[in-house]
Amino acid sequence: MTARKNESWDAFWTEVTGTGTEVIRGVTVRVPTDIPLVMEQRLKAIEDDASDEAVHEMVALLFGDGVLDQWIAAGMGLMELKTALAWGSAHAAGSPVSFREAYDAVVAAEAAEGKAPNRAQRRAASKSPSASTGGRSKPTSSANTGSARTRSRA
């Protein structure tokens, strides 16, 4: 293999990774092809930080400066943002997915987060209303519903 004279790293890397773009909410973004090293570091540092600043930073690292503001102005919702981030992250990690696959992954992740209801939720769910009145059934004494005791034949 012969090296090209005067080929820059940037030209080489563009050739290797491509320069694809997609339009998301009217904003043309480059398809991420690698996760920036600074993003890996920042993700660990802001793992529990859901502030606007942290979200802006992550979107900028993945898609470019100002993209989140453009998406917000275009009316993007939270589920759309999560889907776009899942799609971009998958591409950046070298595992390209479709928008549908990214959306399905977000929905599955959100369903998994809410899978363990707390005790109060389980109790409320088990108390179903009475069919005729819509209210709870009142307990009935054992005198009205119990059976007579049988005596031993011994």
Side-chain angles (χ1 to χ4, degrees), residues 23-52:
V23 177
I24 300 176
R25 265 299 179 160
V27 180
T28 302
V29 296
R30 62 177 171 71
V31 177
T33 57
D34 201 2
I35 296 176
L37 292 176
V38 70
M39 187 171 184
E40 285 284 322
Q41 294 169 340
R42 291 298 297 141
L43 281 173
K44 289 178 182 143
I46 64 168
E47 208 167 81
D48 296 325
D49 184 7
S51 69
D52 287 346

Side-chain angles (χ1 to χ4, degrees), residues 2-13:
T2 48
R4 295 181 191 172
K5 287 187 176 184
N6 299 325
E7 181 182 38
S8 70
W9 171 261
D10 292 338
F12 159 74
W13 199 246

Side-chain angles (χ1 to χ4, degrees), residues 27 29-30 32 56-71:
V27 180
V29 296
R30 62 177 171 71
H56 271 83
E57 183 179 0
M58 290 301 105
V59 172
L61 288 170
L62 201 54
F63 295 108
D65 288 330
V67 170
L68 182 58
D69 292 327
Q70 292 175 34
W71 283 345

Side-chain angles (χ1 to χ4, degrees), residues 88-109:
S89 297
H91 278 267
S95 302
V97 297
S98 68
F99 292 125
R100 168 59 65 184
E101 291 168 326
Y103 173 78
D104 290 344
V106 170
V107 169

